[in-house]
Amino acid sequence: MSSNLFPPESSVVAEVLPSPNNGERRDGRRPDMILLHYTGMSDPDAALELLRARGSDVSCHYFVFEDGRIVQMVPESRRAWHAGQASWAGETDINSCSIGIEIANSGHDHGYPDFPKRQIAAVTALCRSIQIRHTIPAVRVLAHSDVAPSRKQDPGEKFPWRTLYDSGVGHWVKPAPIMNFGHVLSPGNRGETVAAFQKLLAEYGYDVDVTAEYDAVTREVVTAFQRHFRPERIDGIADPSTRSTLADLLANRGRTRTIGARSRSPMLQTTL
Ligand SMILES: [Zn+2]
């Protein structure tokens, strides 16, 4: 049964502590997304217990402590319960297509500490090891906030996406600098330019309707975008820097690296 002990799927896993909270992936869907979370609780052990408690209805595949220790709770072939109501690139059953990683961090409501280097190194090694077993497109290593922008802000703007990118995990471009001039799109604006901007957000994967009105959803999506890609200022306003960073990401998307089973390099193996 799923709550029984199973062998760890990666050599970076220190311990398997199974969670009964899992099921079949819908229609045999194979995972092609990594979804990163923070626990948002001040006690990591309490967070771990919650994710393993029968009846809590939450779980994830991996849990990464602040000191870098990694626990696996659910086999990668199974559907863990971490995304909740979410959407990306037109898909709404995010749990069926993703592998969920919970990163111990008390979160925005409890001081939001920096992520320790050892913890980030562990998350990076874990993502790379997942990328060896599954083909995860770079653009599908995402934040919980990317797929549920109205409800979630984890892992948040302190998460060092660039560091992961430099090790071959995820998609990133250098954010365009913030300038105090240029055309700003903000809540309440309507028209063609807003529609064109919404279209680009949706093209990248965000769940936003092209309404031609800078509505509440657009603001939430822009906030999530900024947490991930332009963390210097998070205000939900599409300033030129935000729009230009999105354009760069889209332009660069076709050239992103997919590190799958075929690109197993000696460097990769020694890193693991
Ligand atoms: Zn989350």
Coordinates of all heavy atoms in Angstrom, one line a residue, residues 96-186:
S96 N -1.8 16.2 -10.6 CA -1.6 15.0 -11.5 C -0.3 15.2 -12.4 O 0.3 14.2 -12.8 CB -2.8 14.8 -12.4 OG -3.7 14.0 -11.7
C97 N 0.0 16.5 -12.7 CA 1.2 16.6 -13.6 C 2.5 17.1 -12.9 O 3.5 17.3 -13.6 CB 0.8 17.6 -14.7 SG 0.6 19.3 -14.2
S98 N 2.4 17.2 -11.6 CA 3.6 17.8 -10.9 C 4.2 16.9 -9.8 O 3.6 16.0 -9.3 CB 3.2 19.1 -10.3 OG 2.3 19.0 -9.3
I99 N 5.4 17.2 -9.5 CA 6.1 16.7 -8.3 C 6.2 17.9 -7.4 O 6.7 18.9 -7.7 CB 7.5 16.1 -8.7 CG1 7.2 14.8 -9.5 CG2 8.3 15.8 -7.5 CD1 8.5 14.2 -10.0
G100 N 5.7 17.7 -6.2 CA 5.7 18.8 -5.2 C 6.8 18.7 -4.2 O 7.1 17.7 -3.6
I101 N 7.5 19.9 -4.0 CA 8.5 20.0 -3.0 C 8.2 21.0 -2.0 O 8.0 22.2 -2.3 CB 9.9 20.3 -3.7 CG1 10.3 19.3 -4.7 CG2 11.0 20.5 -2.6 CD1 11.5 19.6 -5.5
E102 N 8.1 20.6 -0.7 CA 7.9 21.6 0.4 C 9.2 22.0 1.0 O 10.0 21.1 1.4 CB 7.0 21.0 1.5 CG 5.5 20.9 1.1 CD 4.8 22.3 1.2 OE1 5.4 23.3 1.7 OE2 3.6 22.3 0.9
I103 N 9.4 23.3 1.1 CA 10.7 23.8 1.6 C 10.4 24.4 3.0 O 9.5 25.3 3.0 CB 11.3 24.9 0.6 CG1 11.5 24.2 -0.8 CG2 12.6 25.4 1.2 CD1 11.7 25.2 -1.9
A104 N 11.1 24.0 4.0 CA 10.8 24.5 5.3 C 11.2 25.9 5.4 O 12.3 26.3 5.2 CB 11.5 23.7 6.4
N105 N 10.2 26.8 5.6 CA 10.4 28.2 5.8 C 9.1 28.7 6.4 O 8.0 28.4 6.0 CB 10.6 28.9 4.4 CG 10.9 30.4 4.6 OD1 10.0 31.2 4.9 ND2 12.1 30.8 4.3
S106 N 9.2 29.6 7.4 CA 8.0 30.0 8.2 C 7.1 30.9 7.4 O 5.9 31.1 7.7 CB 8.4 30.6 9.5 OG 9.3 31.7 9.3
G107 N 7.6 31.5 6.3 CA 6.8 32.2 5.4 C 6.4 33.7 5.8 O 6.9 34.2 6.8
H108 N 5.7 34.3 4.9 CA 5.4 35.7 5.0 C 4.7 36.1 6.3 O 4.8 37.2 6.9 CB 4.5 36.2 3.9 CG 5.2 36.3 2.5 ND1 5.4 35.1 1.8 CD2 5.8 37.3 1.9 CE1 6.1 35.5 0.7 NE2 6.4 36.8 0.7
D109 N 3.9 35.1 6.9 CA 3.1 35.5 8.1 C 4.0 35.3 9.4 O 3.5 35.6 10.5 CB 1.9 34.6 8.2 CG 0.9 34.9 7.1 OD1 1.0 36.0 6.5 OD2 0.0 34.0 6.9
H110 N 5.2 34.7 9.2 CA 6.0 34.5 10.4 C 7.4 35.0 10.2 O 8.4 34.2 10.4 CB 6.0 33.0 10.8 CG 4.6 32.4 10.9 ND1 3.9 32.6 12.1 CD2 3.8 31.8 10.1 CE1 2.7 32.0 11.9 NE2 2.6 31.5 10.7
G111 N 7.6 36.2 9.7 CA 8.9 36.8 9.6 C 9.7 36.5 8.3 O 10.6 37.2 8.0
Y112 N 9.2 35.5 7.5 CA 9.8 35.2 6.2 C 11.4 35.3 6.2 O 11.9 36.2 5.6 CB 9.2 36.0 5.1 CG 9.5 35.5 3.7 CD1 9.6 34.2 3.4 CD2 9.6 36.5 2.7 CE1 9.9 33.7 2.1 CE2 9.8 36.0 1.4 CZ 9.9 34.7 1.1 OH 10.1 34.2 -0.2
P113 N 12.0 34.3 6.9 CA 13.5 34.3 6.9 C 14.1 34.0 5.5 O 13.4 33.4 4.7 CB 13.9 33.2 7.9 CG 12.7 32.3 7.9 CD 11.5 33.2 7.6
D114 N 15.3 34.4 5.3 CA 16.0 34.0 4.1 C 16.1 32.4 4.0 O 16.2 31.8 5.1 CB 17.5 34.5 4.1 CG 17.5 36.0 3.9 OD1 16.5 36.6 3.3 OD2 18.5 36.7 4.3
F115 N 16.2 31.9 2.8 CA 16.5 30.5 2.7 C 18.0 30.2 2.8 O 18.8 30.8 2.1 CB 16.0 30.0 1.3 CG 14.5 30.1 1.0 CD1 14.0 31.3 0.5 CD2 13.7 29.1 1.3 CE1 12.6 31.4 0.3 CE2 12.3 29.2 1.1 CZ 11.8 30.4 0.6
P116 N 18.4 29.4 3.8 CA 19.8 29.1 4.0 C 20.4 28.5 2.7 O 19.7 27.7 2.0 CB 19.8 28.1 5.1 CG 18.5 28.2 5.8 CD 17.5 28.6 4.7
K117 N 21.7 28.7 2.5 CA 22.4 28.2 1.3 C 22.3 26.7 1.2 O 22.2 26.1 0.1 CB 23.8 28.7 1.3 CG 24.0 30.1 0.9 CD 25.5 30.3 0.4 CE 25.7 31.7 -0.3 NZ 25.6 32.8 0.7
R118 N 22.5 26.1 2.3 CA 22.5 24.6 2.3 C 21.1 24.0 1.9 O 21.0 23.0 1.2 CB 22.8 24.0 3.7 CG 24.3 24.2 4.1 CD 24.5 23.7 5.5 NE 24.4 22.2 5.5 CZ 24.6 21.5 6.6 NH1 24.9 22.0 7.7 NH2 24.5 20.2 6.6
Q119 N 20.1 24.7 2.3 CA 18.7 24.3 1.9 C 18.6 24.5 0.4 O 18.0 23.6 -0.3 CB 17.7 25.1 2.7 CG 16.3 24.7 2.5 CD 15.3 25.5 3.3 OE1 15.5 26.7 3.5 NE2 14.2 24.9 3.8
I120 N 19.0 25.6 -0.1 CA 18.9 25.8 -1.6 C 19.7 24.9 -2.4 O 19.3 24.4 -3.4 CB 19.3 27.3 -1.9 CG1 18.3 28.3 -1.2 CG2 19.4 27.5 -3.4 CD1 16.8 28.0 -1.6
A121 N 20.9 24.5 -1.9 CA 21.8 23.5 -2.5 C 21.0 22.2 -2.6 O 21.1 21.5 -3.6 CB 23.1 23.4 -1.8
A122 N 20.3 21.9 -1.5 CA 19.6 20.6 -1.5 C 18.4 20.6 -2.4 O 18.2 19.6 -3.2 CB 19.1 20.3 0.0
V123 N 17.7 21.7 -2.5 CA 16.6 21.8 -3.4 C 17.1 21.7 -4.8 O 16.5 21.0 -5.7 CB 15.8 23.2 -3.2 CG1 14.8 23.4 -4.3 CG2 15.1 23.2 -1.8
T124 N 18.2 22.4 -5.1 CA 18.7 22.3 -6.5 C 19.1 20.9 -6.9 O 18.8 20.4 -7.9 CB 20.0 23.3 -6.6 OG1 19.6 24.6 -6.1 CG2 20.5 23.3 -8.0
A125 N 19.9 20.2 -6.0 CA 20.3 18.8 -6.3 C 19.1 17.9 -6.4 O 19.1 17.1 -7.3 CB 21.2 18.3 -5.1
L126 N 18.1 18.2 -5.6 CA 16.8 17.3 -5.7 C 16.1 17.6 -7.1 O 15.8 16.6 -7.8 CB 15.9 17.7 -4.6 CG 14.5 17.0 -4.6 CD1 14.7 15.5 -4.5 CD2 13.7 17.5 -3.4
C127 N 16.0 18.8 -7.5 CA 15.4 19.1 -8.8 C 16.2 18.5 -9.9 O 15.6 17.9 -10.8 CB 15.3 20.6 -9.0 SG 14.0 21.4 -7.9
R128 N 17.5 18.6 -9.8 CA 18.3 18.0 -10.9 C 18.1 16.5 -10.9 O 18.1 15.9 -12.0 CB 19.8 18.3 -10.7 CG 20.0 19.8 -10.9 CD 21.5 20.2 -10.8 NE 22.2 19.6 -11.9 CZ 23.2 20.2 -12.5 NH1 23.5 21.4 -12.2 NH2 23.9 19.5 -13.5
S129 N 18.0 15.9 -9.8 CA 17.8 14.4 -9.7 C 16.4 14.1 -10.3 O 16.3 13.0 -11.0 CB 18.0 13.9 -8.3 OG 17.0 13.2 -7.8
I130 N 15.4 14.9 -10.1 CA 14.1 14.7 -10.6 C 14.1 14.8 -12.2 O 13.5 14.0 -12.9 CB 13.0 15.6 -10.0 CG1 12.8 15.3 -8.5 CG2 11.7 15.6 -10.8 CD1 12.1 16.4 -7.8
Q131 N 14.9 15.8 -12.6 CA 15.0 16.0 -14.0 C 15.8 14.9 -14.8 O 15.6 14.8 -16.0 CB 15.8 17.4 -14.3 CG 15.0 18.6 -13.8 CD 15.7 19.9 -14.0 OE1 15.0 21.0 -14.1 NE2 17.0 19.9 -14.1
I132 N 16.5 14.1 -14.1 CA 17.1 12.9 -14.7 C 16.1 11.9 -15.0 O 16.1 11.2 -16.0 CB 18.2 12.4 -13.8 CG1 19.4 13.4 -13.8 CG2 18.7 11.0 -14.3 CD1 20.5 13.0 -12.8
R133 N 15.1 11.7 -14.1 CA 14.1 10.7 -14.2 C 12.9 11.1 -15.1 O 12.2 10.2 -15.7 CB 13.6 10.2 -12.9 CG 14.6 9.4 -12.1 CD 14.1 8.9 -10.7 NE 13.7 10.0 -9.9 CZ 14.6 10.8 -9.2 NH1 15.9 10.5 -9.4 NH2 14.3 11.8 -8.4
H134 N 12.7 12.4 -15.1 CA 11.5 12.9 -15.9 C 12.0 14.0 -16.7 O 12.8 14.8 -16.3 CB 10.4 13.4 -14.9 CG 10.0 12.4 -13.9 ND1 9.1 11.4 -14.1 CD2 10.4 12.2 -12.6 CE1 9.0 10.6 -13.0 NE2 9.8 11.1 -12.1
T135 N 11.3 14.2 -17.9 CA 11.6 15.4 -18.7 C 10.8 16.5 -18.2 O 9.6 16.6 -18.4 CB 11.4 15.1 -20.2 OG1 12.2 14.0 -20.5 CG2 11.8 16.3 -21.0
I136 N 11.5 17.4 -17.5 CA 10.8 18.6 -17.0 C 11.2 19.8 -17.8 O 12.4 20.2 -17.6 CB 11.1 18.8 -15.5 CG1 11.1 17.5 -14.7 CG2 10.3 20.0 -14.9 CD1 9.7 17.1 -14.2
P137 N 10.4 20.4 -18.6 CA 10.8 21.6 -19.3 C 11.2 22.7 -18.3 O 10.6 22.8 -17.3 CB 9.6 22.0 -20.2 CG 8.8 20.8 -20.3 CD 9.0 20.0 -19.0
A138 N 12.2 23.5 -18.7 CA 12.7 24.5 -17.7 C 11.5 25.4 -17.3 O 11.5 25.9 -16.2 CB 13.8 25.3 -18.4
V139 N 10.6 25.7 -18.3 CA 9.5 26.7 -18.0 C 8.5 26.0 -17.1 O 7.5 26.7 -16.7 CB 8.8 27.1 -19.3 CG1 9.8 28.1 -20.0 CG2 8.4 26.0 -20.1
R140 N 8.7 24.8 -16.7 CA 7.7 24.1 -15.8 C 8.3 23.8 -14.4 O 7.8 22.9 -13.8 CB 7.1 22.9 -16.5 CG 6.1 23.4 -17.6 CD 5.6 22.2 -18.5 NE 4.7 21.3 -17.7 CZ 3.3 21.6 -17.7 NH1 2.8 22.6 -18.3 NH2 2.6 20.7 -17.0
V141 N 9.3 24.5 -14.0 CA 9.7 24.5 -12.6 C 9.1 25.8 -12.0 O 9.6 26.9 -12.3 CB 11.2 24.5 -12.5 CG1 11.6 24.5 -11.0 CG2 11.8 23.3 -13.2
L142 N 8.1 25.7 -11.2 CA 7.2 26.8 -10.9 C 7.0 27.0 -9.4 O 7.2 26.0 -8.6 CB 5.9 26.7 -11.6 CG 5.9 26.7 -13.1 CD1 4.6 26.2 -13.7 CD2 6.3 28.1 -13.6
A143 N 6.6 28.2 -9.1 CA 6.2 28.5 -7.7 C 4.7 28.1 -7.5 O 3.9 28.3 -8.5 CB 6.4 30.0 -7.4
H144 N 4.3 27.8 -6.3 CA 2.9 27.6 -6.0 C 2.1 28.8 -6.4 O 1.0 28.8 -6.9 CB 2.8 27.2 -4.5 CG 1.4 26.6 -4.2 ND1 1.0 26.4 -2.9 CD2 0.4 26.2 -5.0 CE1 -0.2 25.9 -2.9 NE2 -0.6 25.7 -4.2
S145 N 2.8 30.0 -6.1 CA 2.1 31.3 -6.4 C 1.9 31.4 -7.9 O 0.9 32.1 -8.3 CB 2.9 32.4 -5.9 OG 4.2 32.4 -6.3
D146 N 2.7 30.8 -8.8 CA 2.5 31.0 -10.2 C 1.2 30.3 -10.6 O 0.5 30.7 -11.5 CB 3.7 30.3 -11.0 CG 4.9 31.1 -10.9 OD1 4.9 32.4 -10.9 OD2 6.0 30.5 -10.8
V147 N 0.9 29.1 -10.0 CA -0.3 28.3 -10.4 C -1.5 28.7 -9.6 O -2.6 28.2 -10.0 CB 0.0 26.8 -10.4 CG1 1.2 26.5 -11.3 CG2 0.3 26.3 -9.0
A148 N -1.4 29.4 -8.5 CA -2.5 29.8 -7.7 C -2.3 31.2 -7.2 O -2.3 31.4 -6.0 CB -2.7 28.8 -6.5
P149 N -2.2 32.2 -8.1 CA -1.8 33.5 -7.7 C -2.8 34.2 -6.8 O -2.4 35.1 -6.0 CB -1.7 34.3 -9.1 CG -2.4 33.4 -10.1 CD -2.4 32.0 -9.6
S150 N -4.1 33.8 -6.8 CA -5.1 34.5 -6.0 C -5.0 34.0 -4.5 O -5.5 34.7 -3.6 CB -6.5 34.4 -6.5 OG -6.8 33.0 -6.5
R151 N -4.4 32.8 -4.3 CA -4.4 32.2 -3.0 C -3.1 32.1 -2.3 O -3.0 32.0 -1.1 CB -5.0 30.8 -3.1 CG -6.4 30.6 -3.6 CD -6.9 29.2 -3.5 NE -6.0 28.2 -4.2 CZ -5.3 27.3 -3.6 NH1 -5.4 27.1 -2.3 NH2 -4.6 26.5 -4.4
K152 N -2.0 32.1 -3.1 CA -0.7 31.7 -2.6 C 0.4 32.7 -2.9 O 0.4 33.3 -4.0 CB -0.3 30.3 -3.2 CG -1.3 29.2 -2.7 CD -1.1 28.9 -1.2 CE -2.2 27.9 -0.8 NZ -2.0 27.6 0.7
Q153 N 1.4 32.7 -2.0 CA 2.5 33.6 -2.3 C 3.8 32.8 -2.1 O 4.9 33.4 -2.1 CB 2.5 34.9 -1.5 CG 2.1 34.6 0.0 CD 1.9 36.0 0.7 OE1 1.9 37.0 0.1 NE2 1.8 35.9 2.0
D154 N 3.7 31.5 -2.0 CA 5.0 30.7 -1.7 C 5.6 30.2 -3.0 O 4.9 30.0 -4.0 CB 4.7 29.5 -0.8 CG 3.6 28.6 -1.3 OD1 2.6 29.0 -1.8 OD2 3.9 27.3 -1.2
P155 N 6.9 30.0 -3.0 CA 7.9 30.2 -1.9 C 8.3 31.6 -1.8 O 9.1 31.9 -0.9 CB 9.1 29.3 -2.3 CG 9.0 29.3 -3.8 CD 7.6 29.3 -4.2
G156 N 7.8 32.5 -2.6 CA 8.0 33.9 -2.4 C 9.2 34.5 -3.0 O 10.1 33.9 -3.6
E157 N 9.3 35.9 -2.9 CA 10.3 36.7 -3.6 C 11.7 36.5 -3.0 O 12.7 36.9 -3.7 CB 9.9 38.1 -3.5 CG 9.8 38.8 -2.1 CD 8.4 38.4 -1.4 OE1 7.6 37.7 -2.0 OE2 8.2 38.9 -0.3
K158 N 11.8 35.9 -1.9 CA 13.2 35.6 -1.4 C 13.8 34.3 -1.9 O 15.0 34.0 -1.7 CB 13.2 35.5 0.2 CG 13.1 36.8 0.8 CD 13.3 36.7 2.3 CE 13.3 38.1 3.0 NZ 13.5 37.9 4.5
F159 N 13.0 33.5 -2.6 CA 13.5 32.3 -3.2 C 14.4 32.6 -4.3 O 14.1 33.3 -5.3 CB 12.3 31.4 -3.6 CG 12.8 30.0 -4.0 CD1 13.1 29.1 -3.0 CD2 13.0 29.7 -5.3 CE1 13.6 27.9 -3.3 CE2 13.5 28.4 -5.6 CZ 13.8 27.5 -4.6
P160 N 15.6 32.0 -4.3 CA 16.7 32.4 -5.3 C 16.6 31.7 -6.6 O 17.4 30.8 -6.9 CB 18.0 32.2 -4.5 CG 17.6 31.0 -3.6 CD 16.2 31.2 -3.2
W161 N 15.6 32.0 -7.4 CA 15.4 31.3 -8.7 C 16.6 31.4 -9.5 O 16.9 30.4 -10.3 CB 14.2 31.9 -9.4 CG 12.9 31.7 -8.7 CD1 12.3 32.6 -7.9 CD2 12.1 30.5 -8.7 NE1 11.1 32.0 -7.4 CE2 11.0 30.8 -7.9 CE3 12.2 29.3 -9.4 CZ2 9.9 29.8 -7.7 CZ3 11.2 28.4 -9.2 CH2 10.1 28.6 -8.4
R162 N 17.4 32.5 -9.4 CA 18.5 32.6 -10.3 C 19.6 31.6 -9.9 O 20.3 31.0 -10.8 CB 19.1 34.0 -10.1 CG 20.1 34.4 -11.2 CD 21.4 35.0 -10.7 NE 22.4 34.9 -11.7 CZ 22.9 35.9 -12.3 NH1 22.6 37.1 -12.0 NH2 23.8 35.7 -13.3
T163 N 19.8 31.3 -8.6 CA 20.8 30.3 -8.2 C 20.4 28.9 -8.8 O 21.3 28.2 -9.2 CB 20.8 30.2 -6.7 OG1 21.0 31.6 -6.1 CG2 21.8 29.3 -6.1
L164 N 19.1 28.6 -8.8 CA 18.7 27.3 -9.4 C 19.0 27.3 -10.9 O 19.5 26.3 -11.4 CB 17.2 27.1 -9.1 CG 16.9 26.3 -7.8 CD1 17.1 27.2 -6.6 CD2 15.5 25.8 -7.8
Y165 N 18.6 28.4 -11.5 CA 18.8 28.5 -12.9 C 20.3 28.3 -13.3 O 20.6 27.7 -14.3 CB 18.3 29.9 -13.4 CG 18.5 30.1 -14.9 CD1 17.7 29.5 -15.8 CD2 19.6 30.9 -15.4 CE1 17.9 29.7 -17.2 CE2 19.8 31.1 -16.7 CZ 18.9 30.5 -17.6 OH 19.1 30.7 -19.0
D166 N 21.2 28.9 -12.5 CA 22.6 28.8 -12.8 C 23.1 27.4 -12.7 O 24.2 27.0 -13.2 CB 23.4 29.7 -11.8 CG 23.3 31.2 -12.2 OD1 22.9 31.5 -13.3 OD2 23.6 32.0 -11.3
S167 N 22.3 26.5 -12.0 CA 22.6 25.1 -11.9 C 21.8 24.3 -12.8 O 21.7 23.0 -12.6 CB 22.5 24.6 -10.4 OG 23.4 25.2 -9.6
G168 N 21.1 24.9 -13.8 CA 20.4 24.1 -14.7 C 19.0 23.8 -14.4 O 18.4 22.8 -14.9
V169 N 18.4 24.5 -13.4 CA 17.0 24.3 -13.0 C 16.1 25.5 -13.2 O 16.4 26.6 -12.7 CB 17.0 23.9 -11.5 CG1 15.6 23.7 -11.0 CG2 17.8 22.6 -11.2
G170 N 15.1 25.3 -14.0 CA 14.1 26.4 -14.2 C 14.5 27.3 -15.3 O 15.5 27.2 -16.0
H171 N 13.6 28.3 -15.4 CA 13.7 29.4 -16.4 C 13.9 30.7 -15.8 O 13.2 31.0 -14.8 CB 12.5 29.3 -17.3 CG 12.5 30.2 -18.5 ND1 11.4 30.7 -19.1 CD2 13.6 30.6 -19.3 CE1 11.8 31.4 -20.2 NE2 13.1 31.3 -20.3
W172 N 14.8 31.5 -16.3 CA 15.1 32.8 -15.7 C 15.8 33.7 -16.7 O 16.5 33.2 -17.5 CB 16.0 32.6 -14.4 CG 16.3 33.8 -13.6 CD1 15.6 34.3 -12.6 CD2 17.4 34.7 -13.8 NE1 16.2 35.4 -12.1 CE2 17.3 35.7 -12.8 CE3 18.5 34.7 -14.7 CZ2 18.2 36.7 -12.7 CZ3 19.4 35.8 -14.5 CH2 19.3 36.7 -13.5
V173 N 15.5 34.9 -16.6 CA 16.3 35.9 -17.4 C 16.6 37.1 -16.4 O 15.9 37.2 -15.4 CB 15.5 36.5 -18.6 CG1 15.2 35.4 -19.7 CG2 14.2 37.2 -18.2
K174 N 17.6 37.8 -16.7 CA 18.0 38.9 -15.9 C 16.8 39.9 -15.9 O 16.4 40.4 -17.0 CB 19.2 39.6 -16.4 CG 19.9 40.6 -15.5 CD 21.2 41.0 -16.1 CE 22.1 41.9 -15.3 NZ 21.4 42.9 -14.4
P175 N 16.2 40.3 -14.8 CA 15.1 41.2 -14.9 C 15.5 42.6 -15.5 O 16.6 43.1 -15.2 CB 14.7 41.4 -13.4 CG 15.5 40.5 -12.6 CD 16.6 39.9 -13.4
A176 N 14.6 43.2 -16.3 CA 14.9 44.5 -16.8 C 14.9 45.5 -15.7 O 14.1 45.4 -14.7 CB 13.8 44.8 -17.8
P177 N 15.8 46.4 -15.7 CA 15.9 47.4 -14.6 C 14.6 48.2 -14.4 O 13.9 48.5 -15.4 CB 17.1 48.3 -15.0 CG 17.4 48.0 -16.4 CD 16.8 46.7 -16.8
I178 N 14.4 48.6 -13.2 CA 13.2 49.4 -12.9 C 13.6 50.9 -13.2 O 14.6 51.4 -12.7 CB 12.8 49.3 -11.4 CG1 12.3 47.8 -11.1 CG2 11.7 50.3 -11.0 CD1 12.0 47.5 -9.7
M179 N 12.8 51.5 -14.0 CA 13.0 52.9 -14.4 C 11.8 53.7 -13.9 O 10.7 53.2 -13.9 CB 13.1 53.1 -15.9 CG 14.0 52.1 -16.6 SD 15.7 52.7 -16.5 CE 16.5 51.7 -17.8
N180 N 12.0 55.0 -13.7 CA 10.9 55.8 -13.3 C 10.2 56.5 -14.4 O 9.7 57.6 -14.3 CB 11.3 56.8 -12.2 CG 11.6 56.0 -10.9 OD1 10.9 55.1 -10.5 ND2 12.7 56.4 -10.2
F181 N 10.3 55.9 -15.6 CA 9.6 56.5 -16.7 C 9.1 55.4 -17.6 O 9.4 54.2 -17.3 CB 10.5 57.5 -17.5 CG 11.8 56.9 -17.9 CD1 11.9 56.2 -19.1 CD2 12.9 57.0 -17.1 CE1 13.1 55.6 -19.5 CE2 14.2 56.4 -17.5 CZ 14.2 55.7 -18.7
G182 N 8.3 55.7 -18.6 CA 7.8 54.7 -19.5 C 6.3 54.5 -19.2 O 5.8 54.9 -18.1
H183 N 5.7 53.7 -20.0 CA 4.2 53.5 -19.9 C 3.9 52.4 -18.9 O 4.4 51.3 -19.0 CB 3.7 53.1 -21.3 CG 2.2 53.1 -21.3 ND1 1.4 54.1 -20.9 CD2 1.3 52.1 -21.8 CE1 0.1 53.8 -21.0 NE2 0.1 52.6 -21.6
V184 N 3.1 52.8 -17.9 CA 2.8 51.9 -16.8 C 1.3 51.4 -17.0 O 0.4 52.2 -17.3 CB 2.9 52.6 -15.5 CG1 2.3 51.7 -14.4 CG2 4.4 52.8 -15.2
L185 N 1.1 50.1 -16.9 CA -0.3 49.6 -16.9 C -0.6 49.3 -15.5 O 0.1 48.6 -14.8 CB -0.4 48.3 -17.7 CG -0.1 48.4 -19.2 CD1 -0.2 47.0 -19.9 CD2 -1.1 49.4 -19.9
S186 N -1.8 49.7 -15.0 CA -2.1 49.5 -13.6 C -3.6 49.3 -13.5 O -4.4 49.5 -14.4 CB -1.7 50.7 -12.7 OG -2.1 51.9 -13.3

